[in-house]
């Protein structure tokens, strides 16, 4: 590094340090805490070492661009916002907060399945009614959509998901049924302000069981493991820096659910209060982005969720010449005990020694879901169902789910 280069970089360092002082004092209306932390990281990666340090120093491409802007100006703050990698928090939010209180699509699939077995007799018979064949095969397709609103502290997104599930279960005794299922799920989250996308493909294996202690009282449990393949796309639209950063982290998730309830039968009506506890653990691998000078590397993420659910459903069987139709309404109250505001540490790939902490917001502790189902039972052991569910009581999340499925018993 020549004397001329050293002087040039020291002038650049002084300009960036002046920028840091301005940004550190930015008002809350200008930059949030994650963006101010990112501004400090930019200064750290652009500031040359002391003159007595003989190590060569070549600043990243974005340093020259920043040094030409007025510290604290709208243009400067716009680049800082775009370079802040808060999109990384989308993975955790999609995993625990946008699915209407269920820890995964597979859990709702299995919850509906065990419920249909408990209420298997359309006329309101007991759990061991001979109308239910021992072996059942079922299939379900589901889609859910909605979004997380943007706020000053966090960039929001809109999402849409699609899943396919196949399962089989067997009635071991008149009071005990067990089964297994496999689910494929495709998810896409589009971040607001064209900040990027987060896509994922997941594959889940599940086992489940339900046991009737009496004709009305039952307990149930499920266990699942999922493998995830994420694709992250982060847009940084700024001169020199502007690129589309891409990453491909993997993840593993295990989930458990334990619950129970009681079915009250009156003629063709069924009223069933229930409660359950769901635990989810999602571990996302560390990964590096590619795509340009603003590419970053992210540490592992460990996301935990523990929710309690208290709910009730009411249904009525209606006999028709060609089968039995059963409409059903259900409502649930959920409480989240874990899933606190997550912190993910990140650093530029070009300078891993300087890190920034990206901190997410805390979730709603209490929220509600409301659902409506319509099922039909036909000749030859064939049945079909249609279901809708929506999320209520959340400050920023909108969530809708539609499911369609069929079942064959023999």
């Amino acid at each position: 590094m020549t004397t001329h280069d050293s002087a040039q970089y020291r002038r650049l360092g002084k300009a960036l340090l002046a920028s840091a002082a301005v940004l550190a004092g930015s008002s809350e209306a200008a930059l949030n805490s994650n963006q101010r932390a990112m501004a400090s990281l930019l200064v750290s990666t652009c500031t040359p070492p002391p003159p007595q340090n003989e190590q060569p120093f070549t600043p990243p491409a974005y340093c020259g661009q920043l040094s030409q802007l007025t510290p604290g100006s709208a243009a400067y703050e716009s680049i800082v916002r775009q370079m802040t990698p808060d999109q990384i928090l989308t993975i955790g939010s999609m995993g625990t907060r946008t699915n209407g209180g269920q820890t995964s699509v597979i859990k709702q699939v299995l919850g509906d399945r065990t419920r249909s077995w408990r209420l298997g007799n359309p006329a309101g018979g007991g759990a061991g009614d001979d109308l239910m064949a021992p072996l059942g095969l079922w299939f379900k397709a589901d889609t859910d959509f909605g979004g997380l609103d943007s706020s000053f502290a966090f960039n929001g997104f809109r999402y849409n998901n699609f899943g396919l599930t196949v399962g089989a279960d067997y009635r071991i005794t008149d009071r005990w049924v067990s089964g297994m299922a496999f689910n494929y799920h495709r998810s896409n989250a589009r971040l607001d302000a064209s900040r990027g996308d987060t896509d994922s493909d997941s594959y889940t294996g599940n086992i489940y069981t339900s046991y009737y202690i009496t004709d009305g009282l039952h307990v149930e449990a499920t266990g699942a493991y999922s493998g995830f393949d994420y694709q992250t796309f982060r847009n940084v639209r700024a001169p020199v820096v502007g690129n589309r950063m891409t990453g491909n982290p993997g993840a593993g998730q295990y989930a458990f659910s334990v619950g129970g309830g009681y079915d009250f039968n009156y003629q063709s009506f069924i009223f069933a209060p229930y409660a359950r506890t769901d635990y989810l653990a999602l571990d996302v691998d560390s990964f590096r982005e590619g795509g340009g000078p603003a590419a970053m590397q992210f540490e592992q993420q460990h996301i935990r969720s523990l929710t309690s659910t208290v709910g009730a459903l009411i249904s009525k069987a209606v006999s028709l010449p060609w089968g039995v139709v059963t409409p059903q309404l259900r409502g649930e109250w959920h409480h989240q005990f874990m899933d606190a505001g997550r912190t993910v540490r990140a650093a530029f790939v070009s300078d891993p020694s300087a890190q920034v902490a990206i901190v997410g917001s805390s979730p709603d502790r209490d929220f509600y879901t409301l659902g409506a189902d319509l099922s039909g039972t036909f000749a030859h052991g064939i049945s079909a169902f249609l279901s809708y569910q929506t999320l209520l009581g959340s400050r920023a999340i909108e969530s809708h789910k539609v499911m369609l499925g069929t079942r064959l018993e023999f």
Side-chain angles (χ1 to χ4, degrees), residues 45-259:
T45 58
C46 291
T47 302
Q52 62 270 22
N53 191 323
E54 297 298 328
Q55 294 183 349
F57 174 71
T58 302
Y62 52 78
C63 295
Q65 174 70 18
L66 290 173
S67 66
Q68 296 173 17
L69 299 174
T70 302
S73 67
Y76 197 119
E77 291 171 350
S78 175
I79 292 180
V80 171
R81 291 190 190 95
Q82 292 182 56
M83 294 185 69
T84 303
D86 52 3
Q87 296 96 327
I88 189 63
L89 300 171
T90 304
I91 293 177
S93 297
M94 287 290 292
T96 63
R97 302 184 188 181
T98 62
N99 198 25
Q102 301 291 339
T103 53
S104 67
V105 172
I106 192 68
K107 286 194 175 300
Q108 185 162 355
V109 169
L110 297 175
D112 288 350
R113 173 62 203 110
T114 54
R115 183 177 300 121
S116 67
W117 175 72
R118 297 198 304 269
L119 307 181
N121 180 0
D129 200 288
D130 292 336
L131 292 178
M132 180 181 174
L135 179 64
L137 301 177
W138 53 273
F139 167 84
K140 175 175 283 191
D142 63 85
T143 181
D144 52 295
F145 53 93
L148 176 64
D149 294 339
S150 289
S151 66
F152 176 71
F154 183 73
N155 193 72
F157 57 86
R158 306 299 298 176
Y159 72 92
N160 58 81
N161 305 329
F162 175 74
L164 296 173
T165 308
V166 294
D169 48 56
Y170 190 79
R171 179 163 59 96
I172 301 171
T173 70
D174 286 347
R175 294 186 180 275
W176 183 20
V177 65
S178 293
M180 61 181 60
F182 177 79
N183 169 266
Y184 165 74
H185 194 240
R186 174 68 176 175
S187 175
N188 169 256
R190 303 176 307 281
L191 288 110
D192 293 347
S194 299
R195 294 285 304 282
D197 301 83
T198 299
D199 300 333
S200 70
D201 295 285
S202 66
Y203 304 87
T204 302
N206 205 104
I207 57 174
Y208 59 99
T209 188
S210 182
Y211 181 76
Y212 268 81
I213 301 172
T214 68
D215 284 347
L217 180 64
H218 58 82
V219 293
E220 63 186 24
T222 68
Y225 181 80
S226 305
F228 286 80
D229 181 20
Y230 288 98
Q231 302 87 43
T232 64
F233 306 93
R234 189 166 61 91
N235 296 328
V236 183
R237 304 183 186 279
V240 179
V241 185
N243 274 287
R244 185 169 171 84
M245 313 304 160
T246 61
N248 185 218
Q253 172 184 287
Y254 57 90
F256 303 97
S257 178
V258 178

Side-chain angles (χ1 to χ4, degrees), residues 391-402:
L391 173 68
L392 303 173
S394 173
R395 294 170 297 175
I397 299 174
E398 175 189 359
S399 177
H400 305 274
K401 184 188 299 294
V402 179

Side-chain angles (χ1 to χ4, degrees), residues 19-38:
S19 300
V22 173
L23 288 167
S26 294
S27 66
E28 288 296 325
L31 298 175
N32 62 34
S33 59
N34 286 330
Q35 293 158 0
R36 292 197 300 274
M38 186 64 188

Side-chain angles (χ1 to χ4, degrees), residues 3-45:
T3 304
H4 178 269
D5 290 335
S6 299
Q8 177 186 358
Y9 292 147
R10 282 197 295 273
R11 286 195 298 271
L12 174 61
K14 290 179 180 179
L16 290 167
L17 289 172
S19 300
V22 173
L23 288 167
S26 294
S27 66
E28 288 296 325
L31 298 175
N32 62 34
S33 59
N34 286 330
Q35 293 158 0
R36 292 197 300 274
M38 186 64 188
S40 297
L41 178 63
L42 291 172
V43 171
S44 174
T45 58

